[in-house]
């Protein structure tokens, strides 16, 4: 059977990927951020999944603004790395797991989530930067297959945080019901507070971010109860990406252990964070 072994929440700021691609991680601007990743990276390297289910949003690089699905799952054999206007990132191709994907789409449909199916999908920084956060030196191939789960966070009305959390719970059930053996890691990407344009461009709300970093472990229900307007007001227009962390959290069991977290400002003009949770499995087992 498939099992969820860990969950990773991480920002997907494009310049974090560019810093790695251009060998700038030791420069003073970037070193504190990458030093903050180090303990999580070594733990993850010792706990390799077969598949990463990566919850992310496309930034109008692959999905045209003419048609924006609320939730989608990639079902392809592989996913080309998107050209976002300055060439492809020098990272390996992203290899899919179509059998697991098709199982997830079917199970989510049967669980009342009307999922768009992506038989073709170019993956942008929203997915490739988290892969680089996980594995900075992949060589010729990433160390795991990938199932992309796409969430609309860029066009109003985005799905509610509660719906994202419920999607995650359904996703966790769907993963655990896959009959073949797979060790699965679930990535929730985006955030933390950031706003890229407009009068509040550069907004950082460290108090909200710190609250969110705690509550994603201990009290996800409170985060799920926030409205999209709460997210935009507190975390900025792009800070609403944080609803994707709730999909990841929903997929984990009720027995998790925080392995590492780090919070850093600024990366680009955003707040960046990473939080890593080991999934120890359901606690509903007999206690006496
Ligand atoms: C930037 C873009 C993103 O998609 C994001 O999540 C954070 C930062 C940027 O362009 O700086
Ligand atoms: Fe983004």
């Amino acid at each position: 059977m498939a099992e969820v072994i860990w969950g990773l929440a991480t920002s997907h700021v494009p310049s974090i990927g560019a810093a790695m691609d251009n060998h700038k991680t030791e420069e003073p601007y970037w070193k504190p951020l990458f030093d903050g990743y180090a303990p999580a990276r070594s733990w993850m390297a010792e706990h390799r999944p077969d598949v990463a289910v990566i919850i992310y949003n496309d930034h109008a690089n692959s999905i045209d603004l003419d048609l924006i699905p609320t939730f989608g799952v990639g079902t392809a054999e592989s996913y080309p790395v998107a050209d976002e206007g300055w060439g492809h990132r020098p990272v390996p191709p992203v290899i899919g797991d179509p059998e697991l994907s098709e199982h997830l789409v079917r199970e989510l449909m049967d669980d009342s989530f009307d999922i768009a199916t992506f038989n073709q999908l170019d993956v942008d920084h929203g997915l490739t930067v988290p892969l680089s956060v996980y594995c900075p030196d992949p060589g010729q191939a990433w160390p795991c297959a990938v199932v992309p789960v796409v969430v609309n966070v860029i066009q109003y009305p985005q799905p509610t945080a509660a719906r994202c959390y419920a999607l995650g719970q359904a996703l966790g059930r769907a993963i655990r019901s896959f009959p073949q053996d797979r060790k699965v890691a679930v990535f929730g990407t985006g955030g933390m507070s950031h706003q890229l344009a407009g009068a509040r461009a550069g907004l950082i709300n460290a108090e909200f971010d710190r609250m969110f970093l705690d509550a994603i472990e201990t009290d996800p229900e409170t985060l799920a109860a926030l409205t999209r307007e709460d997210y935009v007001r507190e975390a900025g227009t792009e800070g609403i990406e944080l609803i994707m962390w709730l999909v990841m959290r929903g997929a984990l069991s009720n027995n998790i252990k925080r392995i590492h977290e780090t919070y850093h400002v600024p990366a680009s003009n955003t707040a960046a964070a990473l939080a890593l949770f080991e999934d120890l499995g359901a606690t509903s087992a007999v206690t006496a």
Side-chain angles (χ1 to χ4, degrees):
M1 297 292 283
E3 58 175 336
V4 177
I5 59 169
W6 48 261
L8 176 71
T10 175
S11 304
H12 61 215
V13 185
S15 56
I16 294 175
M20 284 186 256
D21 299 343
N22 296 305
H23 313 289
K24 293 186 171 172
T25 58
E26 291 297 313
E27 292 187 0
Y29 181 89
W30 288 109
K31 189 171 169 20
L33 175 97
F34 289 100
D35 284 353
Y37 287 169
R41 282 172 155 174
S42 28
W43 189 90
M44 291 186 287
E46 287 167 12
H47 298 80
R48 292 278 192 215
D50 303 307
V51 191
V53 173
I54 303 186
I55 296 107
Y56 86 108
N57 68 290
D58 179 77
H59 301 74
N61 288 305
S62 183
I63 302 172
D64 198 278
L65 291 174
D66 287 345
L67 200 170
I68 302 184
T70 299
F71 295 127
V73 172
T75 51
E77 297 272 354
S78 64
Y79 303 93
V81 175
D83 182 343
E84 301 184 38
W86 51 89
H88 302 272
R89 286 194 63 208
V91 292
V94 175
I95 305 301
D97 185 342
E99 276 183 285
L100 177 59
S101 290
E102 281 156 27
H103 172 85
L104 296 181
V105 172
R106 192 173 53 247
E107 291 295 309
L108 290 171
M109 285 292 199
D110 289 351
D111 219 342
S112 301
F113 286 89
D114 303 321
I115 296 292
T117 301
F118 285 92
N119 297 316
Q120 199 284 328
L121 179 65
D122 288 12
V123 287
D124 75 3
H125 66 269
L127 185 137
T128 65
V129 169
L131 271 179
S132 296
V133 169
Y134 161 49
C135 180
D137 298 305
Q140 295 302 306
W142 296 110
C144 60
V146 170
V147 173
V149 175
V150 187
V151 178
N152 166 40
V153 297
I154 66 173
Q155 178 167 286
Y156 181 90
Q158 299 90 342
T160 63
R163 188 69 174 154
C164 289
Y165 188 49
L167 173 69
Q169 291 172 318
L171 182 65
R173 287 192 291 274
I175 292 168
R176 286 186 281 271
S177 71
F178 188 59
Q180 298 177 38
D181 285 340
R182 294 279 198 289
K183 287 191 172 66
V184 178
V186 182
F187 291 33
T189 80
M192 293 205 93
S193 57
H194 66 296
Q195 172 146 343
L196 299 178
R200 298 200 305 162
L203 173 136
I204 305 288
N205 184 347
E207 196 181 335
F208 178 84
D209 289 343
R210 294 283 184 190
M211 180 281 293
F212 195 97
L213 267 171
D214 281 349
I216 195 72
E217 176 185 6
T218 59
D219 190 12
E221 287 80 9
T222 295
L223 303 179
L226 299 178
T227 66
R228 70 174 70 80
E229 289 76 17
D230 291 331
Y231 278 93
V232 170
R233 186 181 58 251
E234 297 299 325
T237 43
E238 281 75 33
I240 196 173
E241 289 180 344
L242 284 169
I243 61 176
M244 296 185 290
W245 290 28
L246 280 169
V247 183
M248 177 279 292
R249 181 64 180 87
L252 302 182
S253 78
N254 53 1
N255 187 8
I256 62 172
K257 179 178 161 201
R258 186 179 295 248
I259 300 295
H260 184 65
E261 88 174 34
T262 185
Y263 180 72
H264 180 79
V265 179
S268 181
N269 61 350
T270 84
L274 171 155
L276 175 62
F277 302 100
E278 182 172 17
D279 194 333
L280 302 166
T283 49
S284 51
V286 183
T287 51

